[in-house]
Amino acid sequence: ARDRDRKLIRKIDQSLEAIQTGEYGYCEDCGDEIGFARLDVRPTATKCIECKTVAEIKEKQEMA
């Protein structure tokens, strides 16, 4: 549980830094805006839904 909390705190810190630099809300992969609905559900999101979906598919393929 503590490891999960540390990871969340790190993601929150990264999101706060992105807000300060003006990078918050933009996908780290493609640069497109991350949709408001996604940020509303997951404020620490760093990828748009399309890039996140592709990353998850690649991750599953690597695990197989």
Side-chain angles (χ1 to χ4, degrees):
R2 287 185 184 185
D3 187 45
R4 185 177 33 178
D5 290 344
R6 279 190 220 113
K7 286 180 182 179
L8 179 57
I9 290 170
R10 185 176 25 156
K11 287 182 179 184
I12 291 169
D13 288 341
Q14 290 170 342
S15 295
L16 291 171
E17 184 176 327
I19 290 169
Q20 291 176 342
T21 62
E23 297 174 10
Y24 180 77
Y26 293 94
C27 179
E28 66 184 9
D29 287 350
C30 69
D32 287 346
E33 286 188 19
I34 299 173
F36 177 76
R38 176 157 170 72
L39 289 173
D40 190 36
V41 172
R42 186 174 298 273
T44 59
T46 58
K47 298 179 189 250
C48 67
I49 194 66
E50 292 85 10
C51 289
K52 182 63 175 174
T53 301
V54 169
E56 287 177 351
I57 290 169
K58 286 180 181 178
E59 185 179 310
K60 286 181 184 178
Q61 289 174 343
E62 290 173 1
M63 293 174 65

